Amino acid sequence: MPEMSSVFPHPDHDHGVCVSETLARAEEACGERGVRLTPLRRRVLEALAASHAPLGAYDIVEKLRKSKEPAPAMSVYRALDFLVTEGLAHRIESKNAFLACTHGHDTGDIVLFMLCDRCGTVAEVTSTALGRDLAQAAKSASFSPKAPVLEVSGLCGRCMERGVRRKVS
Amino acid sequence: MPEMSSVFPHPDHDHGVCVSETLARAEEACGERGVRLTPLRRRVLEALAASHAPLGAYDIVEKLRKSKEPAPAMSVYRALDFLVTEGLAHRIESKNAFLACTHGHDTGDIVLFMLCDRCGTVAEVTSTALGRDLAQAAKSASFSPKAPVLEVSGLCGRCMERGVRRKVS
DNA sequence: AGCAAATTGTTGCGCCGCACAATATATAGG
DNA sequence: CCTATATATTGTGCGGCGCAACAATTTGCT
């Protein structure tokens, strides 16, 4: 059982696979829980899944505006709320942006986001050690933790080697 | 050497001490670094130090508006930027709010914020274990970390015992 | 069809911060 | 010491983002 469950995606990989897999898992999860993945929510999740860099709400509004069925900002926000609540997407607090959850972890997992300042890509990793220390720190402070926000900005390996500035779709 | 360097402040302690000590350290730090702690910046820091709950920018604007020398929102934002840059205050990303740094840690320390959802108080703790695991996780992902954001919301011990909802000044 | 609940659309307001202008402060030369 | 120039700080106007409140619509169920 590896400590890390994921790393940075390669910039040239096939997004179609991520998108279809993410949507498939979302459909299934919603079905099980008896909540509805409406067309709008599906389209928002689709937009998120097509990017491994976090998208701002208005980035999505813009994407939808260019498509056949635009949606007002408020509706996009609500769809994002839904997706985050259902664990299908994450909110990146330090960027006020959102990210599709690409590898469905169980709720309760401790997730750490590494944000590359240059290419914008995000690695979503789970660390058991981090979770243990977090619990330990909370215990020492008599604190009962609920929603951990663990985000680190920096440079991904690829951007450190090459000086290239290539944004991921 | 304790693992944790600080916990939640008692709601009934003397804020005057926090404020004066924080300002004193700020004066000194600015003097050493050759940057200026202008009256406005000082007043903003003072407002932050008087509260152990994070303050939004407009909370501070409001405080200043009630005082003798109001300041426009933009100026407050700039003062906050300055304070954060100089390590005299922290930005709480998950709340879009700011907090005076009350116990000057060296730059480079890994800091974890525990935010009480009920009373709003924040505990600012440093964990060496957390820092080690964070570095380990980064290494595994070939990631070069820069600015860690570690925030956990939940309930502080005091709020868990009593059901009282008493906001800290 | 008819009703309750959920979802989406519309309006509006407050927060956030950029870009430019005005002012205050530091530095150099006479 | 005084002024001129560069630098740093603060003020103002404005546009974009985030979201609350209410209205309109759709969906699920009987």
Side-chain angles (χ1 to χ4, degrees):
Chain A
M1 188 176 82
E3 168 73 14
M4 317 299 304
S5 70
S6 172
V7 288
F8 286 91
H10 193 283
D12 296 327
H13 70 166
D14 183 3
H15 281 310
V17 182
C18 320
V19 175
S20 55
E21 285 186 358
T22 298
L23 288 181
R25 215 178 17 221
E27 296 275 12
E28 188 185 342
C30 288
E32 290 177 358
R33 293 174 224 171
V35 295
R36 295 170 39 201
L37 188 64
T38 64
L40 175 60
R41 291 168 176 173
R42 189 186 164 86
R43 285 161 58 77
V44 169
L45 180 56
E46 197 173 346
L48 286 180
S51 166
H52 289 290
L55 293 182
Y58 274 71
D59 293 336
I60 299 174
V61 171
E62 196 60 17
K63 277 198 175 188
L64 295 185
R65 202 179 55 76
K66 291 173 185 167
S67 74
K68 300 213 166 188
E69 303 184 40
M74 191 67 245
S75 296
V76 172
Y77 275 103
R78 276 189 288 235
L80 288 169
D81 268 1
F82 170 85
L83 295 173
V84 169
T85 299
E86 296 301 326
L88 302 173
H90 299 287
R91 181 189 184 95
I92 306 298
E93 301 287 352
S94 59
K95 303 191 80 168
N96 279 356
F98 298 84
L99 186 72
C101 178
T102 47
H103 47 309
H105 24 233
D106 303 324
T107 50
D109 271 7
I110 301 293
V111 184
L112 167 68
F113 298 98
M114 302 189 207
L115 322 169
C116 180
D117 286 336
R118 180 173 285 175
C119 69
T121 315
V122 176
E124 181 185 351
V125 308
T126 70
S127 163
T128 53
L130 221 45
R132 177 169 36 76
D133 294 342
L134 215 57
Q136 171 60 36
K139 188 178 174 188
S140 298
S142 303
F143 184 76
S144 168
K146 211 183 314 180
V149 173
L150 308 181
E151 304 168 5
V152 190
S153 60
L155 287 180
C156 72
R158 195 167 295 105
C159 282
M160 272 178 58
E161 304 173 356
R162 331 196 199 159
V164 186
R165 176 187 302 263
R166 171 161 49 151
K167 289 276 183 182
V168 179
S169 82
Chain B
M1 189 178 80
E3 168 71 15
M4 317 299 304
S5 70
S6 173
V7 288
F8 286 91
H10 193 282
D12 295 327
H13 70 165
D14 183 3
H15 281 311
V17 182
C18 322
V19 175
S20 55
E21 284 185 359
T22 299
L23 287 182
R25 210 167 17 181
E27 296 276 12
E28 187 185 343
C30 288
E32 289 176 359
R33 292 174 224 170
V35 296
R36 296 172 33 199
L37 188 64
T38 65
L40 176 60
R41 291 169 177 171
R42 188 187 165 85
R43 284 161 58 79
V44 170
L45 180 57
E46 197 173 345
L48 287 180
S51 166
H52 288 291
L55 294 182
Y58 272 71
D59 293 336
I60 300 176
V61 171
E62 196 60 18
K63 279 198 177 191
L64 294 185
R65 202 178 56 74
K66 291 174 185 168
S67 74
K68 300 215 166 186
E69 303 184 40
M74 192 65 245
S75 296
V76 171
Y77 275 104
R78 277 189 287 235
L80 288 169
D81 269 2
F82 171 85
L83 294 173
V84 170
T85 300
E86 296 301 326
L88 302 172
H90 300 286
R91 180 188 186 96
I92 306 299
E93 301 288 352
S94 58
K95 302 191 79 170
N96 279 356
F98 298 85
L99 186 72
C101 177
T102 46
H103 48 311
H105 25 233
D106 303 324
T107 50
D109 272 8
I110 301 294
V111 183
L112 167 68
F113 298 98
M114 302 190 205
L115 321 170
C116 179
D117 285 336
R118 177 172 289 177
C119 68
T121 314
V122 176
E124 181 186 353
V125 308
T126 70
S127 164
T128 53
L130 220 47
R132 175 169 38 76
D133 294 341
L134 215 57
Q136 171 59 35
K139 188 180 175 187
S140 297
S142 304
F143 183 76
S144 167
K146 211 183 316 179
V149 173
L150 309 180
E151 304 168 6
V152 190
S153 61
L155 287 181
C156 72
R158 195 166 295 107
C159 282
M160 271 178 58
E161 304 174 355
R162 330 197 199 159
V164 186
R165 176 186 303 260
R166 172 162 45 154
K167 289 276 183 185
V168 178
S169 82

